[in-house]
């Protein structure tokens, strides 16, 4: 299992991580800089707030469920959108993630201040996240060393997984060796 943190990789919370912000979360890394820290979004936390309540003009472009996702505990009053493009083109209002992995090669952020019409027909899938997860330089590496996170490769379907509630188990199940068994860990380990 790779421990290297990289843009496009996933952080999967280990059963030891009981911080309510990240318990059983799957975080897609959007930025990683050895000096500046790491930024990502939690992929598997749909909220009860519909996109139409906060950003109604973007609702027609959002991939279901059509709700805001809780991207993390930082700047929860701001929104960040991720979208996949069907081709290698870079449409206006969309910025590619700087990742070398094929799984996220067509993934980028959306400028939510841009008119949605310019992206109509240009993007294949989109989700909007309220807030993000952030770590200062060295902080995430320390958490990984303490056993809070697994660092694994992402796959194409992870960002827009149809059943976000099952994503944690889904990602762990496909891992090699003993890590796949972690997916069977009960929600409350004391009930084991």
């Amino acid at each position: 299992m790779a421990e290297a943190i990289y843009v496009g990789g996933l952080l999967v919370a280990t059963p030891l991580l009981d911080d309510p912000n990240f318990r059983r979360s799957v975080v897609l890394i959007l930025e990683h800089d050895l000096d500046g820290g790491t930024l990502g979004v939690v992929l598997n936390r749909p909220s009860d707030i519909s996109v139409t309540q906060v950003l109604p003009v973007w609702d027609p472009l959002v991939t279901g469920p059509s709700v805001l996702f809780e991207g993390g505990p930082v700047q929860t009053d701001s929104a960040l959108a991720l979208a996949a493009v069907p081709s290698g083109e870079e449409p206006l209002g969309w910025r590619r993630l700087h990742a070398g992995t094929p799984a996220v090669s067509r993934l980028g952020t959306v400028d939510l201040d841009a008119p949605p019409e310019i992206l109509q027909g240009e993007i294949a899938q989109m989700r909007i996240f309220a807030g993000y997860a952030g770590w200062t330089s060295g902080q995430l590496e320390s958490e990984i060393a303490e056993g809070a996170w697994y660092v694994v490769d992402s796959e194409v379907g992870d960002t827009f997984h149809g059943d976000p509630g099952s994503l944690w188990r889904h990602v762990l199940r496909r891992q090699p060796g003993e890590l796949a068994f972690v997916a069977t860990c009960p929600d409350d380990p004391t009930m084991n």
Side-chain angles (χ1 to χ4, degrees):
M1 180 175 71
E3 293 296 325
I5 302 164
Y6 62 95
V7 172
L10 295 177
L11 299 172
V12 180
T14 71
L16 299 173
L17 183 58
D18 61 357
D19 175 335
N21 292 310
F22 295 111
R23 190 174 180 283
R24 298 224 167 186
S25 65
V26 177
V27 177
L28 176 68
I29 298 169
L30 303 180
E31 295 177 14
H32 179 65
D33 182 323
L34 293 175
D35 301 322
T38 306
L39 182 144
V41 289
V42 177
L43 297 177
N44 59 334
R45 292 270 165 81
S47 74
D48 296 328
I49 302 166
S50 72
V51 172
T52 55
Q53 287 176 270
V54 285
L55 294 163
V57 296
W58 288 101
D59 188 62
L61 298 179
V62 169
T63 304
S66 187
V67 297
L68 284 182
F69 277 68
E70 297 171 15
V74 182
Q75 291 190 350
T76 55
D77 58 345
S78 66
L80 182 152
L82 289 177
V85 294
S87 68
E89 300 298 311
E90 290 202 26
L92 283 172
W94 181 86
R95 186 173 62 92
R96 184 181 309 280
L97 290 184
H98 295 289
T101 60
V104 293
S105 65
R106 294 185 175 175
L107 195 60
T109 56
V110 172
D111 177 359
L112 292 171
D113 292 327
E117 301 79 45
I118 67 171
L119 285 164
Q120 189 83 38
E122 298 290 328
I123 58 174
Q125 295 171 300
M126 178 173 150
R127 282 214 170 130
I128 300 175
F129 301 86
Y132 63 89
W135 293 267
T136 58
S137 182
Q139 180 183 8
L140 182 55
E141 290 84 350
S142 294
E143 290 181 16
I144 292 168
E146 291 165 8
W149 299 100
Y150 302 119
V151 182
V152 302
D153 294 334
S154 61
E155 288 186 0
V156 173
D158 293 341
T159 302
F160 307 104
H161 197 270
D163 178 13
S166 71
L167 184 61
W168 185 81
R169 280 196 163 89
H170 176 80
V171 170
L172 287 171
R173 234 181 249 123
R174 71 177 185 234
Q175 301 309 312
E178 293 182 13
L179 191 51
F181 291 115
V182 177
T184 64
C185 184
D187 287 340
D188 182 355
T190 62
M191 302 303 287
N192 197 2

